[in-house]
Each structure stands twice: as structure tokens, then as C-alpha cells.
Amino acid sequence: MSIRLDMQDQVARILISHPARMNALGEAQIRQLEQISHELAARTDLRVILLKAEGEVFGAGGDMRGLAQEAAVQPQRLAEATAVFSASMLRLQQLPAIMIAGVHGYVGGSSFAMMNFADLVIAARFTRFNTGYMRFASGPDGAMSWWLPRLAGYRQALQWLLLAENLTPEELQAAGLVNLVVPDEQLNDVLEKMAARILRTPPQCVSTLKKLLLASQNNSIEQQMAMETGAMASLAASPDFQEGIRAFAEKRAPRFGSGSLR
């Protein structure tokens, strides 16, 4: 398996492990990702997803070497793989769990698109990013043309896609695509500490917050205020809310539960 899943303590670790091909995403990897996304979607105890990779890079994008070895590229087959990839990442992103991508080395094309589906992104300092599609006369995939304008703005998105230049973590952080930039040797440690920190937060509150923020991308302000009101009422009836009130009154740290997010 070149994409592996490990579950432990309400944390799913998705590890891309195909270093001989720079963790490029071919049909086999996409099918593995699809299987993992369905497996995680069936769980009710999942709170954090860590998305990371082995080897020198996070991912070179689509498996262009594999395509080059084919006698002729089959457009329909390529389209089907792209659709499965996008649907799998969306399935993961829409789960109530917080998905954190830890990226390093190089992040290009489809791997860049994969990263965009994460709720939080932590990048090693010497990582380089490139949309890459223009180099192959290819269109973007994995909702890249949806995410980039929303996260970075139309002009920045156009520049990155049009020129296909290498970008630094600091550039992506300034544009809102990266949360933290850390020394390369600290990446995994920071990822694990972030996961542990999220596990200490109230589960239902976290899943509600994520749902609200995702909905805001399409809601009117009136719809968003109504959704917030409903969320506040629902959370106020939760045991964790009562624990938070008691902890405040007693001047101590709250001890939140670890129940289902659904």
C-alpha cells in the first residue's frame, strides 16, 4: 500500500508512502485514498486526521511518469481518476474531524490540491510549492480552481496557476493557505502536538465550529446568523457547555468529554 492508514486514540494518520515516484498520485494511490475516505467516513469517534508523507517530498502531484509510459493517454480514464480523487478529498474534508496537513520538501499539482482540502496546514520551512499544471498544458484538479480564489484571491490564484513558479511557505502563509511554518526537523512533532491539543477541546463544539465556517462560504449573512443561533442553542444543552461553566466558576481547567461528533 502506497497510502497507509493508522488509527490510534481518535486520530487517523494518513501516510503517503510512494517515495520512488516522489509520492505522485496515480490510479492505484487514488483508489487507496478513496477506500480510506470511506473507512473514515464510517467512524463516529474520529476527531483528528493527520495527512503527511514519507520521503523527501510531500508529493509531486499526479503521476506524470506513469502517464508518459502509456502508449496513449486515455482522457476518459484520466477524468474518472480525477473525479475519484476530488470526491475522496471532499469526503474527508466534510467530516467533523479536523484534518491537518503536514507538508515538506515539494508540493506540486494534485498534491497541492490535496493540501488545500485540509482544515489546517503546517509547512516545513524549506518546502517549495508549485501549481505545476501549466507545465504540462493541463487543467487544475482537486478543486484547485475553487480553493485558490477563495483562499488567496483571484489575481493571486491566476498568477500562481498561469506562471507555475516555485512558491515559499511564507508566501502561502501570507496568502492564507498555510497556518504555521516550522523548522523541517520539527514538522512531525508540531503535527502531533497540534493533534493532542485538539483532542483536549470539546468535541461537539469543534465539529459545530467547522460546520459553521464551511457553511459561511455559501450562506448569506442572515442564513449564517440563523445557523449560529441554532448552534448556540444546541451547544448550550451539551454536557461540555455545563462543564465549561462549572470550571469557570470553580477557577479550574475544564475536563471536556470525548464523545461522538455526530
Side-chain angles (χ1 to χ4, degrees), residues 244-258:
I245 296 296
R246 284 194 300 271
F248 176 79
E250 296 168 9
K251 298 181 180 180
R252 59 171 175 82
R255 296 181 290 272
F256 296 123
S258 57

Side-chain angles (χ1 to χ4, degrees), residues 228-255:
E228 281 185 347
T229 300
M232 178 66 76
S234 177
L235 290 172
S238 71
D240 278 338
F241 182 83
Q242 302 303 321
E243 165 61 13
I245 296 296
R246 284 194 300 271
F248 176 79
E250 296 168 9
K251 298 181 180 180
R252 59 171 175 82
R255 296 181 290 272

